[in-house]
Amino acid sequence: MKENIRLVICDVDGTLANKGARPLPATLKALEYCHEKGILLGLGTGRPVDQRMIGRFKDWGLDFEPDLIIGVNGCELWTRFDRKKEKFDLLPKEEVRKILDFMWDLDVNVCVFEDGYDKVLARRKDWMIEDSMNRNRSNVEFVDRERFCKYDVVKLEFHYDEEKYEDLIMDLISRHPSDRYVWTKSFEGTLEFMKPGVNKGTTLERVCKKLNIDLEDVVACGDMDNDIPMLEKAGIGICLANGSQTTKEAADYVTEKDVNHDGLGEFLFKYIF
């Protein structure tokens, strides 16, 4: 076992479990092992922090909560020690408007989390929004372009058909460079714009300082590009076998098996615990 592990923080979708699914036995056992050994457990996710995310472990049959949650790719932070949600570095509404100026005509879907899943704005209902409404009990309001630009936001999210739009979107982004926003891919066909300087890594650093944890004593696990800053900050960064190539290259280790075959849990018990 690696000595002095004080925190294990994991992305959710594609890392702990497939989207909407429950972790497989070895991964659940790894979470229980950390809890029993006094190792803090965190979730580092692109999802917003609300009671649904706080209760995620209990939904999976565990009898404890996460010790901390980094939400919306670093824009939100919650810990069970103070039970408060902090928000950082919102994307200004002026930048939201500029991004929509060059993305809107593609007819891709737009999504904003104004208050977690309790208040979600969307352009229209697509399969991802419908799935979220069913699975997360999301309260979704379908709005026009101007409504998206009313307030500063934690992130501006786009859903699209990768086969149809990927190359076009990448070209558009390259032709609209800005130091006022950054973008990342969190899932296939999902693109997210946020304010520069905020990511899972910066908020991991923030919460470790708050809890007096050395980053070298952190194990971070993920699968997609939005996980890279978190994996790079941690003493050990682990990417799932199903992860993106850039995330694999940034990680210290890549699991032998993917999320569908209990890759994370088996790797942790074989090499880390």
Side-chain angles (χ1 to χ4, degrees), residues 178-196:
S178 175
D179 59 2
R180 303 293 301 277
Y181 57 75
V182 295
W183 61 273
T184 188
K185 293 192 69 175
S186 59
F187 197 71
E188 291 182 4
T190 304
L191 186 71
E192 302 175 1
F193 289 86
M194 299 180 299
K195 188 174 179 179

Side-chain angles (χ1 to χ4, degrees), residues 201-258:
T202 57
T203 304
L204 174 62
E205 189 171 21
R206 188 191 302 257
V207 72
C208 283
K209 186 175 182 180
K210 179 178 181 178
L211 300 177
N212 196 28
I213 295 173
D214 192 321
L215 284 164
E216 284 299 311
D217 298 332
V218 177
V219 176
C221 314
D223 69 308
M224 290 296 289
D225 293 5
N226 61 325
D227 298 317
I228 290 174
M230 180 172 74
L231 270 56
E232 291 180 333
K233 286 287 185 182
I236 294 178
I238 301 169
C239 179
L240 271 288
N242 50 276
S244 71
Q245 186 59 37
T246 49
T247 309
K248 290 177 180 178
E249 291 170 359
D252 298 302
Y253 300 100
V254 178
T255 64
E256 295 159 345
K257 297 181 181 179
D258 64 19

Side-chain angles (χ1 to χ4, degrees), residues 28-41 63-64 269:
L28 279 175
K29 188 177 178 181
L31 297 177
E32 291 176 326
Y33 176 90
C34 290
H35 182 68
E36 291 167 1
K37 295 295 183 181
I39 299 169
L40 297 184
L41 280 167
D63 62 0
F64 52 89
F269 279 116

Side-chain angles (χ1 to χ4, degrees), residues 157-173:
E157 182 172 301
F158 293 89
H159 305 161
Y160 59 94
D161 181 332
E162 278 199 342
E163 186 174 338
K164 184 176 180 180
Y165 286 116
E166 182 76 7
D167 291 342
L168 183 56
I169 287 174
M170 292 301 110
D171 179 63
L172 275 174
I173 292 173

Side-chain angles (χ1 to χ4, degrees), residues 19-258:
K19 198 166 191 175
R22 169 190 173 96
L24 293 173
T27 299
L28 279 175
K29 188 177 178 181
L31 297 177
E32 291 176 326
Y33 176 90
C34 290
H35 182 68
E36 291 167 1
K37 295 295 183 181
I39 299 169
L40 297 184
L41 280 167
L43 298 176
T45 177
R47 296 169 178 266
V49 177
D50 61 10
Q51 288 304 316
R52 298 164 182 81
M53 190 55 60
I54 294 168
R56 187 54 53 94
F57 281 6
K58 293 188 176 180
D59 291 343
W60 293 340
L62 302 172
D63 62 0
F64 52 89
E65 293 179 331
D67 296 296
L68 63 96
I69 303 173
I70 294 172
V72 200
N73 294 323
C75 291
E76 296 181 344
L77 174 65
W78 175 92
T79 77
R80 68 173 177 82
F81 308 107
D82 57 22
R83 309 196 73 82
K84 295 178 181 178
K85 179 169 73 173
E86 299 176 77
K87 291 189 176 184
F88 315 109
D89 300 320
L90 301 184
L91 182 66
K93 58 188 179 183
E94 296 81 9
E95 299 309 311
V96 172
R97 184 179 298 279
K98 290 177 184 177
I99 296 165
L100 289 177
D101 282 345
F102 67 82
M103 290 287 288
W104 191 264
D105 288 344
L106 289 179
D107 200 34
V108 294
N109 205 5
V110 187
C111 177
V112 163
F113 295 96
E114 277 202 343
D115 185 17
Y117 290 111
D118 291 325
K119 190 172 184 181
V120 181
L121 306 182
R123 184 177 186 177
R124 60 171 175 266
K125 184 185 288 188
D126 60 15
W127 73 267
M128 293 185 73
I129 293 295
E130 187 169 10
D131 179 61
S132 182
M133 292 171 72
N134 293 332
R135 182 164 42 82
N136 300 315
R137 304 180 300 281
S138 301
N139 297 313
V140 183
E141 180 182 350
F142 298 100
V143 301
D144 61 17
R145 180 172 172 172
E146 283 303 309
R147 179 62 181 80
F148 286 111
C149 306
K150 189 173 182 180
Y151 302 112
D152 299 345
V153 302
V154 287
K155 68 176 179 179
L156 183 63
E157 182 172 301
F158 293 89
H159 305 161
Y160 59 94
D161 181 332
E162 278 199 342
E163 186 174 338
K164 184 176 180 180
Y165 286 116
E166 182 76 7
D167 291 342
L168 183 56
I169 287 174
M170 292 301 110
D171 179 63
L172 275 174
I173 292 173
S174 70
R175 289 192 284 111
H176 294 85
S178 175
D179 59 2
R180 303 293 301 277
Y181 57 75
V182 295
W183 61 273
T184 188
K185 293 192 69 175
S186 59
F187 197 71
E188 291 182 4
T190 304
L191 186 71
E192 302 175 1
F193 289 86
M194 299 180 299
K195 188 174 179 179
V198 60
N199 55 57
K200 293 184 184 183
T202 57
T203 304
L204 174 62
E205 189 171 21
R206 188 191 302 257
V207 72
C208 283
K209 186 175 182 180
K210 179 178 181 178
L211 300 177
N212 196 28
I213 295 173
D214 192 321
L215 284 164
E216 284 299 311
D217 298 332
V218 177
V219 176
C221 314
D223 69 308
M224 290 296 289
D225 293 5
N226 61 325
D227 298 317
I228 290 174
M230 180 172 74
L231 270 56
E232 291 180 333
K233 286 287 185 182
I236 294 178
I238 301 169
C239 179
L240 271 288
N242 50 276
S244 71
Q245 186 59 37
T246 49
T247 309
K248 290 177 180 178
E249 291 170 359
D252 298 302
Y253 300 100
V254 178
T255 64
E256 295 159 345
K257 297 181 181 179
D258 64 19

